[in-house]
Every structure is written in structure tokens, then in C-alpha cells.
Amino acid sequence: MRFDIIIFMFKGLLNSFLNLIYKQKCIICGCSKTDNLLCKNCLKDVNYLSSFPHKIHNSIPIYSACIYMTTVKKIIQLLKFSHKKTMSLVLARIVFEYFKKLNLKEDFIVIYPDSFIFKNLSRGYEHMYLVAKEFCNLSGLKLYKHAILKTKNTIAQYKAKNRRTNIKEAFKINKKYIELLKRKPVLLIDDIITSGATLEEIISVLKKENINNITCLTISKAIKL
């Protein structure tokens, strides 16, 4: 038997042995009863929504994959505030599973709203870019980075007294993508929708450039109490 084949077989056995010992732990509860990043119990806490638009703004459908609570809320917060970049893969899988149920046949190009540059610098990464990139890896769709630029350092929407005023004129379209966005169906992905002010502002910016074939998809929907 060739030596390189023996080495290959040895590596395979070693990896199997290590996987058995160090089985993947759930990112939420820490149990080792999983072959994925979420165990079955924590996955049950992902409250998927029905596959129809949960909001329509100016004829644009807005879908949300699940409720912003328990497992999903914790994963989003870990990604945004605790530098847990691997959470982007979990969120991408969640939204991709929902996206498949929508049975949308368009050959979308995927965009997302940028965060303000100083926020990205302080965090060290663009959280929605990471999610959108992993989503495109799963779906096979094309991602366009920095298509929607944030031009104002707004306060967090959940802190704003008037969310629409806070987010007004905070976004612009990257000029090099305008003609492309006019020609192709656009899938705009974001993390959370509460009042809808952010997505509505971006839709308005897109429509001003005659970009009308838009579908919005958020990871989660906050429930107003």
C-alpha cells in the first residue's frame, strides 16, 4: 500500500476519533448533543413565521423568517454586540430555511443595509455582510457588498423617540450599482423589523432611482408589547 494512502486513511480515522471526543457543542445551551451549531431543543425555540408577506410597503413585500425572541434574539445579540462572528452562519441557515419555503423563483441579487462606518470600525466587522454572505453561499445567489450605504450615524432605532425621523435620509445607493439594481430583481436582507422605518426608508431611496423589483427579507420580527 502506498505511503500517502496510509497517511490519508490515518488522518480520516484521527478526525473521526476527535469528532467523537470533541462533539460539536450547542452555541446557546452548551450541550454536546448536536452535530450542528444548535441542538434540537434550542432549534425548537426558533419560532418560524408563515410564508407570506408580514408587511407590504409601497407595493413591496416584506417577509420575516421568525420572531425576535429566545434563541434567535440571543444569536443576533451575540453577533452584533459580543463579536461572535460564527453566529452569522447560524442566522444565515435559519433565514435560508425560511427562504426555501417562500418558493420565490427570481434570480435575485442580494443586498443589505450597511452600518455606519464608525460602528463597523468599532465592531471590527459588518454583521449583516457576514449573514448575507453565508446566505448567498447557501442559496447560490449573488451578493453585492456596500450597495446600500449608510451616510448618517443615527442612534439605535430601539432608542429613538421617532424612528422615521431618526432614520430619515440616512441611506444612499452606491452609484456603481444603480443600473444593475434596475435590471435585476433585488432581495434586501436585514436582521430585525420592528416598526419597519428602516426598510421603508431604504425602499424609498431605491424607488427614487426607479428600482422597483424589490423583495425584503428580515431574519426576525420584533413583537410589540
Side-chain angles (χ1 to χ4, degrees):
M1 185 178 293
R2 286 170 47 187
F3 183 72
D4 57 342
I5 295 177
I6 295 173
I7 294 296
F8 178 79
M9 292 174 64
F10 175 76
K11 286 182 177 179
L13 290 171
L14 179 61
N15 286 334
S16 297
F17 179 69
L18 291 175
N19 287 336
L20 183 63
I21 296 176
Y22 303 106
K23 195 169 184 179
Q24 177 74 56
K25 289 187 177 182
C26 175
I27 59 171
I28 298 298
C29 69
C31 80
S32 59
K33 298 177 181 179
T34 178
D35 294 320
N36 299 298
L37 294 173
L38 285 180
C39 69
K40 290 181 179 180
N41 286 335
C42 289
L43 195 57
K44 288 178 183 177
D45 284 335
V46 177
N47 297 281
Y48 279 104
L49 292 167
S50 56
S51 55
F52 62 86
H54 302 100
K55 187 180 181 72
I56 294 178
H57 175 71
N58 202 1
S59 77
I60 302 302
I62 301 173
Y63 298 88
S64 297
C66 50
I67 301 296
Y68 181 67
M69 60 186 295
T70 59
T71 293
V72 171
K73 181 177 180 178
K74 186 169 183 178
I75 296 171
I76 290 175
Q77 290 179 345
L78 286 171
L79 175 62
K80 292 179 73 172
F81 307 120
S82 299
H83 295 85
K84 303 293 186 181
K85 292 195 284 185
T86 55
M87 301 301 106
S88 62
L89 179 57
V90 185
L91 293 173
R93 287 178 180 171
I94 288 171
V95 77
F96 177 62
E97 289 303 315
Y98 176 79
F99 177 74
K100 288 191 295 184
K101 296 176 183 178
L102 301 181
N103 201 30
L104 301 175
K105 300 300 184 182
E106 289 90 343
D107 183 22
F108 290 107
I109 57 175
V110 177
I111 62 175
Y112 60 92
D114 273 5
S115 299
F116 192 64
I117 185 170
F118 293 149
K119 189 168 289 185
N120 289 336
L121 290 173
S122 64
R123 184 182 286 138
Y125 56 90
E126 174 69 75
H127 79 286
M128 276 311 302
Y129 165 69
L130 296 180
V131 176
K133 182 178 71 170
E134 296 295 349
F135 172 82
C136 287
N137 288 339
L138 293 167
S139 65
L141 297 175
K142 178 73 173 179
L143 173 65
Y144 285 87
K145 190 176 182 181
H146 303 316
I148 302 294
L149 305 171
K150 192 166 187 184
T151 57
K152 287 171 58 178
N153 189 18
T154 59
I155 65 174
Q157 282 290 78
Y158 69 89
K159 295 180 180 179
K161 292 182 179 179
N162 189 317
R163 296 183 180 189
R164 283 173 173 77
T165 300
N166 181 52
I167 208 71
K168 185 70 175 176
E169 297 180 348
F171 296 98
K172 70 176 183 179
I173 307 172
N174 190 328
K175 290 182 179 180
K176 70 179 182 178
Y177 293 131
I178 290 177
E179 292 305 315
L180 174 67
L181 296 174
K182 287 180 182 179
R183 297 195 306 269
K184 298 277 287 184
V186 174
L187 183 65
L188 171 62
I189 294 181
D190 204 2
D191 52 2
I192 309 164
I193 182 171
T194 304
S195 67
T198 300
L199 287 178
E200 289 173 13
E201 176 67 19
I202 297 171
I203 288 169
S204 176
V205 170
L206 290 166
K207 280 185 166 282
K208 283 179 182 177
E209 295 291 344
N210 292 317
I211 299 165
N212 298 303
N213 191 356
I214 309 161
T215 299
C216 298
L217 175 59
T218 69
I219 300 166
S220 61
K221 176 180 172 64
I223 300 299
K224 296 179 183 179
L225 299 177

